[in-house]
Amino acid sequence: MAYPFSDFKYSDGLTVVGISFCTAIVCEAISWVLIYRTNSYKNLRSSIDKASKKLETMKTDSSKINIKKSKTKKIDRVETSLKESSRDLSLFKFKSGGVVAMVLFVVFGLLNSLFEGKVVAKLPFQPFGLVMKMSHRGLQGNDPTDCSMAFLYFLCSISIRTNLQKFLGFAPPRGASAGLFPMPDPKTN
């Protein structure tokens, strides 16, 4: 199968990057349909934004003066509310994760069959141990700077999708970094 620009030196690498970019757009479109346009997502996001702003102002006010016990309880209540809202948001986003994962698996399988055993890029450095195993996966030869499709697609998928979410305004709210598995609270230990 002849690709456009197949005589071009970087055609395989650019093809992988282009497909990764298109996949990121499709995945964000799916997420928009299933998550971002719904009223429950918008309500959860606004409650997280309000709680994180309230918590931030409470903490800056309490740092200026000595903290009273009632102020500490209010801060704990707002933190708990923020954690619960963040958890609910993560669970809400989880439902589209399966559909997005299916799209990514199908595209990865397609790319794997197209670029099996082909070097799609050259790394500008010699990777170490585990990274070399990932970057050289499925390739013949001993050149450690050879890069396989799987490694390039992995790097592109992570970076492009994250930046696309920020660009489209779908990045998680500031206070919603806890996710499904938050860090344990040191106050309870």
Side-chain angles (χ1 to χ4, degrees), residues 105-119:
F105 282 133
V106 168
V107 170
F108 185 80
L110 174 73
L111 285 175
N112 208 19
S113 66
L114 289 174
F115 297 105
E116 186 175 355
K118 288 178 78 175
V119 176

Side-chain angles (χ1 to χ4, degrees), residues 119 121-123 127 132 135-136 139-148:
V119 176
K122 283 285 203 182
L123 298 175
M132 185 161 56
S135 69
H136 209 268
L139 298 179
Q140 301 296 321
N142 294 328
D143 187 2
T145 61
D146 286 348
C147 181
S148 68

Side-chain angles (χ1 to χ4, degrees), residues 6 9 37 41 45 74 102 128 132 143 148 157 185:
S6 61
K9 182 178 178 182
R37 70 183 180 115
Y41 171 79
R45 184 163 175 136
K74 284 183 182 180
M102 285 300 295
F128 59 91
M132 185 161 56
D143 187 2
S148 68
S157 293
D185 191 6

